[in-house]
Amino acid sequence: MKKILLVCSAGISTSILVSKMKRAAQDQGIDVSIQVKSITGVRDVIQDMDIVLLAPQIGYEQKKLQELAGDIPVEKVDVRDFGILNGEGVLREAMKVLENGTES
């Protein structure tokens, strides 16, 4: 099982996106655990993840979170996918990074 962490500033739209990602994973038979945390709550869980995704509004935190994450990829969610709450697209991009290495 792959573990995905989605990091945001507050959480309402991100929680909806995570629900859509979970539904897409279930529909496609992908074995993942997807969590959402605010930027202030990542320190305790980041090392247990396989990938960390940043909501666009906190993309500027990528370098800081990459330092915390070490070798775990930290990627920004595509602004368009985030805006339209495209859970399937965000999941697809996360799985590509997990299979092929980091995009950034």
Side-chain angles (χ1 to χ4, degrees):
M1 174 185 301
K2 295 295 183 181
K3 297 177 188 173
I4 299 172
L5 176 63
L6 200 73
V7 182
C8 61
S9 57
I12 303 223
S13 56
T14 309
S15 294
I16 295 168
L17 179 61
V18 166
S19 293
K20 290 185 173 198
M21 290 173 69
K22 287 178 178 179
R23 188 173 318 124
Q26 185 177 17
D27 291 348
Q28 296 174 40
I30 299 172
D31 190 18
V32 294
S33 167
I34 306 170
Q35 294 183 40
V36 62
K37 293 278 184 186
S38 71
I39 188 71
T40 58
V42 300
R43 188 174 296 275
D44 295 335
V45 298
I46 199 166
Q47 288 297 318
D48 295 329
M49 297 297 138
D50 293 305
I51 187 170
V52 178
L53 303 176
L54 301 179
Q57 66 270 28
I58 60 162
Y60 65 90
E61 296 279 10
Q62 186 174 17
K63 184 176 179 183
K64 176 181 162 187
L65 288 178
Q66 189 63 70
E67 290 172 4
L68 275 176
D71 292 335
I72 299 164
V74 176
E75 299 291 332
K76 297 176 193 172
V77 172
D78 178 77
V79 173
R80 185 168 189 276
D81 282 341
F82 188 86
I84 63 172
L85 299 172
N86 181 1
E88 184 176 352
V90 174
L91 177 65
R92 180 177 48 250
E93 291 306 310
M95 297 308 293
K96 277 187 202 174
V97 171
L98 288 169
E99 293 169 8
N100 303 319
T102 187
E103 290 184 334
S104 306

